[in-house]
């Protein structure tokens, strides 16, 4: 459970980065940064919902967005950001063509 959710949070940031990289061009490191901001926004939303006593009614959204804020999620997002930055750098260093 712990490893799966932690790794899933890392992969989520890398996946958002990949999605952005496939549809928009931005100066490095904007795509990895936006992917990190997306993860942090979800975590902030979880925190606000918890503090306000709100609950997401949709079980699908609860799975996708999560429901409990956790500092380890932020650590996972930062690791995902670092991996996305490495991918961004690797893509920038690749020969064109």
């Amino acid at each position: 459970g712990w490893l799966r959710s932690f790794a899933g949070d890392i992969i989520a940031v890398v996946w958002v980065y990949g999605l952005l990289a496939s549809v928009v061009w931005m100066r490095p490191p904007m795509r990895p940064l936006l992917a990190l901001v997306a993860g942090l926004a979800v975590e902030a939303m979880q925190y606000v919902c918890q503090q306000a006593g709100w609950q997401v009614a949709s079980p699908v959204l609860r799975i996708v967005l999560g429901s409990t804020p956790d500092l380890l999620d932020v650590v996972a997002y930062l690791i995902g950001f670092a991996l996305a930055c490495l991918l961004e750098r690797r893509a920038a260093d690749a020969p064109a063509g």
Side-chain angles (χ1 to χ4, degrees):
W2 179 82
L3 181 60
R4 184 175 58 99
S5 66
F6 188 78
D9 288 337
I10 293 170
I11 291 168
V13 172
V14 174
W15 182 80
V16 170
Y17 161 76
L19 183 65
L20 287 170
S22 68
V23 296
V24 295
W25 183 90
M26 295 177 173
R27 293 177 150 269
M30 287 307 296
R31 290 182 296 211
L33 191 58
L34 281 176
L36 173 63
V37 167
L40 294 175
V42 168
E43 203 64 25
M45 188 172 44
Q46 289 174 356
Y47 179 77
V48 168
C49 287
Q50 183 184 52
Q51 295 304 310
W54 300 336
Q55 290 186 346
V56 176
S58 168
V60 173
L61 280 178
R62 267 198 312 267
I63 291 169
V64 172
L65 298 177
S67 58
T68 307
D70 188 355
L71 189 57
L72 281 178
D73 291 349
V74 174
V75 172
Y77 298 149
L78 290 170
I79 293 170
F81 169 72
L83 290 173
C85 285
L86 290 173
L87 291 171
E88 184 88 350
R89 183 178 188 106
R90 186 173 180 199
D93 292 344

